Amino acid sequence: MLDSGKIREDFPILSKKVYGKPLVWLDNAATSQKPRSVIQSLVDYYEGYNANVHRGVHALSIESTDAFELARQKVADFIHADAAESIVWTRNTTEAINLVANTWARDNIGAGDEILLTPMEHHSNLVPWQKVAQENGARLKFIPMHEDGTLDLENIDAIFGPRTKLLAIVHVSNSMGTINPVKELAARAHAVGAMVLVDGAQSVPHMPVDVNDLDCDFLAFSGHKMLGPTGIGVLYAKRDVLEEMDPFLRGGEMVLEVWYDRATWNALPMRFEAGTPNIADAIGLGAAVDYLQALGMENVRQHEVELTGYGLKRFEELDEVVVYGPQNPDVRGGAILFNAADIHPHDLGTIMDRQGIAIRTGHHCTMPLMRTLGVAATARASFYVYNTTQEVDTLVDGLKEALEYFAHEVRGA
Amino acid sequence: MRFEELDDLYHATILEHRRHPRNSDRLEDPDITADGVNPFCGDEIHIQIALDSEGRVSRVGLQGVGCAINQATGSMLSDAIQGKTLDEVAALSRSFNDLMTGGPHSDGLGELTTLESVRQFPIRIKCALLAWSALDEGIEDYAPARSR
Ligand SMILES: Cc1ncc(COP(=O)(O)O)c(C=O)c1O
């Protein structure tokens, strides 16, 4: 297990108090906190070598371009991509998915074709495909799901067919924590000639991810969920796929030669990065990757398995609490989704907040999934490298207090 | 008691309305319908209003899905607008908005005044306003058909 006590010292925000109580940050699936090294990398850039990239012959531009491209290489190595050219900077996961929807999908998905999804997709990996389906006359199809939030693959052979053009699937569900068998499903997709896009927003930050092992064509993820800054995300795409794709946004940086009436495109990956990129935050993400690599992603994963297992066990003490998603921590990510008796998640969230505990409440950007689960909203606690079993205890004790509080108040009314 | 400051938010009146929401049966023949959704949290409110021959609110149906504040506000609203003309309802809504935003407000709010405590929890003000903004829109949509 990781030495969270020591890790915590690297995160300035974790010594903060809210309402006079120590901050217990359990909203990591929404965004993670940042270590000092990441924050410092931003300061170093702005104080030491701020300059536009790929444009100047002067010293600072050379320095910033080197740092920017080094960060790209770090990210490529982190997900075991063969080449840095496969890494396209975006703002976040959402933009990465929209890039594919507006380029590859727009040009390759036709009338009557099928886009295969799961019922647990984040709005970011659903709404862009609705647009493609509407505009190109394609159809969205959903792999069925068991009650425990795992995919029902019994009739999987009937689900993939000659019309399947794309499998767009969340690797780890941000709501229920389900880890989907992406590698197996990718093989099936490829067998029928379909492409595979993986939403790695909740997997890349939390476990070893190897794009060659998964054999996905696209992988999207966000820097801010993996100790990095906001405003920087990644689209990984296989090189030969990127080569064939039309540009997304057009303008400076993405062109090779321009005439008044036409232009040719720059090399990969710049072809997909129009305009001045988010230089500082890309460098910051590189620093975040360094931090995670030093911890070791196997260790990060193991730490979360232990915290989640411990959390699920302690939740059993709470009779009034319903937990959603797979019960076995080995097949789920570090998130616990739950509802407490008839206390609405928002009321619960406010009561926990006053104890310094930050949990997420609502639909977690998975409204259709909430409907499938038959609830309007839920509460979620999600873990990361700096969380401790003591914090899980604080969470469970806090929930007990909240249940007690509401039971008591209603009696008193 | 560990949650003293919370007692202001979850006081007896609010919790009682949450437990026993008023006028929760859906009206089948409403003159006005109003629906509100908070896209950030998924809270919902559905209001039906029947008017009498003088244009006063004669019956109200209100169904909500959401937190205690949302539920209680809706329940109180469904009582408060009974017997009022639509202009009076709109005035009441403005007054409630003023209460929530800390502005000067009229005295006619009755039980709704107890929701003033929500102001200490700014993030929850939108929970109290959802039903009212839905109602405002419902009335606005109905207004063009109204003969003045
Ligand atoms: C599974 C999943 N997909 C996509 C997203 C969207 O990420 P972002 O808001 O950084 O684009 C998130 C995060 O909220 C997520 O958890």
Side-chain angles (χ1 to χ4, degrees):
Chain A
M1 202 155 170
L2 297 175
D3 185 353
S4 323
K6 197 156 162 297
I7 290 173
R8 295 178 74 81
E9 291 170 11
D10 297 333
F11 291 75
I13 209 170
L14 295 180
S15 50
K16 192 182 161 75
K17 291 212 157 55
V18 284
Y19 309 110
K21 316 243 165 57
L23 170 66
V24 177
W25 184 255
L26 297 177
D27 195 15
N28 292 290
T31 201
S32 70
Q33 299 302 348
K34 324 299 173 198
R36 203 171 277 109
S37 61
V38 167
I39 300 167
Q40 190 59 45
S41 74
L42 302 178
V43 174
D44 289 347
Y45 168 73
Y46 284 122
E47 289 187 353
Y49 57 101
N50 171 54
N52 214 327
V53 288
H54 304 138
R55 297 201 181 167
V57 290
H58 48 71
L60 262 50
S61 177
I62 294 166
E63 195 178 343
S64 71
T65 303
D66 284 351
F68 180 70
E69 292 304 329
L70 178 63
R72 197 191 301 273
Q73 186 63 52
K74 286 177 185 174
V75 168
D77 294 343
F78 189 61
I79 58 170
H80 304 274
D82 293 335
E85 288 79 48
S86 276
I87 304 297
V88 176
W89 297 121
T90 63
R91 280 188 302 140
N92 47 37
T93 305
T94 306
E95 187 175 288
I97 295 171
N98 272 276
L99 193 163
V100 178
N102 280 283
T103 55
W104 180 86
R106 193 197 54 204
D107 297 337
N108 290 283
I109 294 180
D113 286 344
E114 291 172 355
I115 300 171
L116 195 53
L117 305 164
T118 77
M120 63 186 100
E121 296 310 320
H122 188 282
H123 296 163
S124 294
N125 196 32
L126 171 61
V127 180
W129 307 121
Q130 294 173 345
K131 177 168 183 271
V132 173
Q134 276 156 19
E135 291 183 354
N136 292 17
R139 210 160 69 83
L140 301 184
K141 208 168 149 183
F142 294 85
I143 300 174
M145 188 177 76
H146 294 296
E147 221 162 76
D148 72 350
T150 57
L151 292 176
D152 177 354
L153 301 176
E154 195 162 331
N155 294 316
I156 197 69
D157 289 329
I159 292 170
F160 287 95
R163 305 254 47 172
T164 314
K165 281 285 142 58
L166 175 69
L167 168 69
I169 184 170
V170 67
H171 196 176
V172 176
S173 158
N174 65 300
S175 300
M176 301 177 295
T178 315
I179 301 177
N180 287 314
V182 165
K183 182 179 175 177
E184 291 73 17
L185 291 171
R188 286 190 181 264
H190 288 143
V192 297
M195 299 281 275
V196 177
L197 178 141
V198 176
D199 173 352
Q202 300 294 344
S203 59
V204 174
H206 298 280
M207 59 177 69
V209 171
D210 180 333
V211 288
N212 287 317
D213 181 53
L214 292 179
D215 196 23
C216 54
D217 301 288
F218 304 103
L219 174 73
F221 55 99
S222 298
H224 69 94
K225 294 181 197 285
M226 50 188 287
L227 311 181
T230 52
I232 189 77
V234 174
L235 173 68
Y236 156 85
K238 282 183 184 163
R239 229 201 115 96
D240 55 334
V241 177
L242 270 188
E243 287 286 5
E244 295 299 314
M245 272 162 53
D246 221 24
F248 175 33
L249 302 174
R250 288 150 201 254
E253 199 99 348
M254 52 77 67
V255 283
L256 190 59
E257 274 191 289
V258 181
W259 295 264
Y260 281 118
D261 60 345
R262 74 206 133 89
T264 55
W265 312 140
N266 201 341
L268 297 178
M270 269 83 81
R271 188 185 303 170
F272 294 96
E273 295 176 355
T276 298
N278 187 347
I279 305 162
D281 294 318
I283 292 169
L285 178 54
V289 165
D290 287 343
Y291 191 94
L292 287 170
Q293 294 279 37
L295 294 180
M297 289 311 290
E298 285 289 356
N299 298 329
V300 170
R301 169 69 187 141
Q302 199 46 41
H303 178 73
E304 290 181 30
V305 170
E306 284 173 38
L307 279 184
T308 309
Y310 182 70
L312 288 171
K313 210 169 164 59
R314 285 232 50 200
F315 266 60
E316 285 171 14
E317 293 166 25
L318 307 167
D319 289 338
E320 305 91 329
V321 171
V322 185
V323 175
Y324 306 92
Q327 292 303 303
N328 178 359
D330 290 332
V331 294
R332 80 184 270 162
I336 299 181
L337 186 74
F338 61 96
N339 260 327
D342 63 344
I343 308 180
H344 190 276
H346 290 163
D347 297 319
L348 194 63
T350 292
I351 298 173
M352 302 306 276
D353 177 48
R354 291 285 151 155
Q355 304 176 70
I357 306 168
I359 57 169
R360 180 73 182 274
T361 61
H363 51 60
H364 319 289
C365 291
T366 51
M367 276 194 201
L369 176 66
M370 294 296 119
R371 283 189 207 104
T372 301
L373 296 176
V375 294
T378 48
R380 178 188 68 196
S382 52
F383 310 118
Y384 212 5
V385 292
Y386 35 69
N387 290 123
T388 63
T389 48
Q390 290 93 304
E391 287 181 309
V392 176
D393 289 335
T394 308
L395 168 71
V396 174
D397 294 344
L399 285 172
K400 283 184 180 167
E401 298 248 14
L403 288 161
E404 165 81 7
Y405 176 80
F406 254 80
H408 166 82
E409 283 303 301
V410 170
R411 272 200 304 280
Chain B
M1 169 102 215
R2 196 167 156 190
F3 298 123
E4 262 161 37
E5 71 274 21
L6 286 172
D7 292 346
D8 290 336
L9 183 63
Y10 298 113
H11 57 64
T13 318
I14 287 182
L15 291 172
E16 200 273 327
H17 272 276
R18 167 184 177 261
R19 280 283 142 147
H20 308 288
R22 319 288 196 266
N23 310 301
S24 59
D25 291 339
R26 175 175 288 279
L27 297 194
E28 293 307 331
D29 53 348
D31 294 298
I32 300 172
T33 58
D35 302 285
V37 178
N38 181 337
F40 295 105
C41 59
D43 277 9
E44 290 177 26
I45 205 97
H46 306 285
I47 309 174
Q48 306 85 40
I49 295 173
L51 301 173
D52 64 17
S53 55
E54 289 164 28
R56 289 178 182 276
V57 174
S58 60
R59 279 174 303 135
V60 181
L62 188 144
Q63 305 81 36
V65 184
C67 65
I69 308 306
N70 172 36
Q71 301 267 47
T73 314
S75 175
M76 288 184 204
L77 175 155
S78 73
D79 270 347
I81 64 173
Q82 302 270 0
K84 291 197 164 47
T85 67
L86 294 185
D87 289 338
E88 287 166 351
V89 170
L92 189 67
S93 177
R94 279 195 298 279
S95 194
F96 185 75
N97 267 275
D98 290 341
L99 176 76
M100 282 296 121
T101 50
H105 53 89
S106 66
D107 302 331
L109 287 169
E111 205 174 31
L112 287 161
T113 318
T114 64
L115 289 161
E116 189 168 9
S117 55
V118 175
R119 266 180 33 211
Q120 296 167 37
F121 298 78
I123 195 76
R124 304 299 300 276
I125 290 176
K126 66 180 190 325
C127 309
L129 289 179
L130 179 65
W132 290 95
S133 40
L135 179 67
D136 289 344
E137 277 179 34
I139 291 176
E140 223 164 85
D141 289 347
Y142 174 77
R146 262 204 285 173
S147 50
R148 288 214 184 223

